[in-house]
Amino acid sequence: MTDQDPEAFDGMLLAMAQQHQGGVQDLLNTIFSFLARKTDFYTGGEEGAAEKMLMEKFNKHKKVARENQVKKREEREEADRRRKERALQKEQEDESEEPKIKELTDEEAAKLQETLERKESEAKESKNEETKEEDDEEEDPKDKGKLKPNSGNGCDLQNYKWTQSLSEVELKVPVKANFQLKSRDVVVDMQQKHLKVGLKGQAPIIDGELYNKIKPDESCWVIDGKKAISITMEKVNKMEWWNRLVVTDPEINTKKVNPEPSKLSDLDGETRGMVEKMMYDQRQKEMGLPTSEEQKKRDVLEKFMKQHPEMDFSKCKFT
């Protein structure tokens, strides 16, 4: 039994536990009752042998549970420390940047103003052309009314802005306060399917059900620039784009999401392989070329045709 899978009987034991309304106490009572009624656990050995065996097993698994608890706590603390270090480094870099001011002559100022107005006019014309092209594209009736994603594949709303990759959601909540924000002034409650953000003593800025589940233990928040709250939430499902942050938000059109900002290096090997394959197949379809699966089929057929030159394939159609 030393090589027995420790999870081999989890299903059966969980079913037993669910039938004991009194919890662990009632479950243990049932197990010890069984040992007394159906085995010689209490009477089959020397005096005190049962107690000794029981304590050995208890202490063994107590040690494992304590080690796992310490390991998980250290992992959470390390992840939180790394995120806080990154946020602090970014804040220090922002503060260390000194504005470079150069006084211009009236002639230089006039030329600069003319250049800026010309560039602004060109940018507006370019944007209008892009908007027209997008409007001309055939749109799915189901997507009418949905917002276009921002540059970070999320949405810019009145009270906050959020972006996303396949693995994380980044949220920035500006706070209107006439004092310098401290962590003690902030309320951030992240649950698996619910988010609450705001200031203590005030109505929450966000208080709603999330679009999908997150990992609260792998998520964190920091005060960004002393006037905003930045939150990073780890997605449970790393193979989908969120169409909203909370269910009461307006919906974005995920068909217009640009996957480029997503860091494939952040994904595990299996997920990364699937995403790269999907992106490759999409590019192949756009160029009218075979996907990876279609190419495999063609390679197999070509190999078969080379092995059987005596057969005539001229009138065959392959799909």
Side-chain angles (χ1 to χ4, degrees):
M1 288 296 288
T2 55
D3 296 332
Q4 177 69 51
D5 181 1
E7 300 181 0
F9 302 104
D10 281 2
M12 180 177 64
L13 292 171
L14 282 171
M16 288 176 57
Q18 290 170 356
Q19 298 180 41
H20 288 77
Q21 300 299 323
V24 175
Q25 183 176 346
D26 283 1
L27 177 62
L28 290 175
N29 186 58
T30 297
I31 292 173
F32 286 123
S33 173
F34 169 79
L35 292 174
R37 292 179 293 100
K38 300 297 183 179
T39 73
D40 61 349
F41 176 73
Y42 297 100
T43 60
E46 298 177 358
E47 185 67 25
E51 290 88 341
K52 181 180 179 181
M53 181 189 303
L54 181 64
M55 290 310 299
E56 285 178 355
K57 300 302 180 184
F58 174 83
N59 289 326
K60 172 186 174 182
H61 294 288
K62 176 183 176 182
K63 181 181 178 182
V64 172
R66 294 292 188 192
E67 290 174 350
N68 288 337
Q69 183 185 39
V70 170
K71 182 180 179 182
K72 289 180 180 179
R73 182 174 66 249
E74 290 176 347
E75 289 175 351
R76 289 197 300 270
E77 290 174 351
E78 178 63 19
D80 188 47
R81 184 187 64 77
R82 288 198 300 268
R83 288 192 176 96
K84 287 182 178 179
E85 282 183 354
R86 291 198 299 268
L88 180 60
Q89 183 179 0
K90 182 178 181 298
E91 184 176 346
Q92 291 173 344
E93 289 174 356
D94 292 342
E95 291 178 352
S96 64
E97 290 181 359
E98 297 180 359
K100 298 178 180 179
I101 301 174
K102 179 182 177 182
E103 189 174 350
L104 302 177
T105 64
D106 292 342
E107 184 179 353
E108 290 174 334
K111 289 182 179 180
L112 177 61
Q113 183 65 30
E114 182 182 348
T115 302
L116 291 174
E117 289 177 355
R118 186 177 68 254
K119 288 184 177 180
E120 183 179 358
S121 176
E122 291 173 355
K124 285 183 179 179
E125 291 179 3
S126 176
K127 185 175 181 181
N128 290 336
E129 290 177 2
E130 290 177 0
T131 303
K132 184 177 179 181
E133 289 177 2
E134 290 178 359
D135 292 339
D136 291 341
E137 292 179 0
E138 186 176 352
E139 187 176 17
D140 192 328
K142 294 180 181 179
D143 295 328
K144 286 185 178 180
K146 295 181 181 179
L147 301 178
K148 182 181 178 181
N150 60 20
S151 59
N153 296 327
C155 190
D156 297 337
L157 300 174
Q158 183 177 358
N159 294 325
Y160 52 89
K161 169 185 177 180
W162 65 277
T163 60
Q164 64 175 321
S165 64
L166 282 171
S167 59
E168 291 182 339
V169 174
E170 297 280 348
L171 170 63
K172 188 167 186 177
V173 185
V175 178
K176 296 178 182 179
N178 55 4
F179 55 88
Q180 183 174 319
L181 277 182
K182 300 290 185 182
S183 58
R184 61 174 178 269
D185 304 316
V186 176
V187 175
V188 178
D189 181 18
M190 289 184 282
Q191 300 178 19
Q192 194 175 51
K193 199 73 165 56
H194 191 274
L195 175 66
K196 183 177 181 181
V197 183
L199 295 180
K200 289 183 180 178
Q202 299 184 19
I205 300 171
I206 303 174
D207 187 8
E209 181 183 351
L210 291 167
Y211 170 76
N212 213 335
K213 293 180 180 180
I214 63 169
K215 298 177 180 179
D217 291 342
E218 302 297 327
S219 305
C220 70
W221 65 272
V222 295
I223 295 175
D224 185 3
K226 303 174 184 178
K227 287 292 183 181
I229 305 169
S230 292
I231 302 173
T232 301
M233 294 177 287
E234 189 83 10
K235 293 180 180 179
V236 171
N237 184 351
K238 300 180 186 297
M239 288 297 296
E240 71 169 352
W241 297 104
W242 288 18
N243 61 18
R244 62 188 76 187
L245 180 70
V246 293
V247 295
T248 53
D249 282 349
E251 188 175 355
I252 65 171
N253 186 356
T254 54
K255 292 180 181 177
K256 296 184 178 181
V257 160
N258 175 19
E260 292 303 322
S262 304
K263 297 179 180 178
L264 292 177
S265 59
D266 292 342
L267 304 176
D268 60 78
E270 182 180 358
T271 305
R272 177 176 177 176
M274 292 175 64
V275 172
E276 289 178 338
K277 179 178 180 295
M278 291 166 60
M279 294 172 66
Y280 171 81
D281 289 344
Q282 182 63 31
R283 288 195 298 268
Q284 291 293 96
K285 286 181 180 179
E286 290 173 355
M287 294 186 293
L289 299 174
T291 64
S292 54
E293 292 298 327
E294 292 170 344
Q295 187 61 50
K296 284 182 182 178
K297 292 179 181 178
R298 292 189 180 189
D299 291 343
V300 171
L301 288 171
E302 288 177 2
K303 184 178 179 180
F304 180 80
M305 293 168 67
K306 288 179 180 178
Q307 293 174 344
H308 299 276
E310 74 280 1
M311 299 180 67
D312 181 13
F313 294 93
S314 60
K315 297 182 180 180
C316 294
K317 288 187 177 181
F318 301 106
T319 58

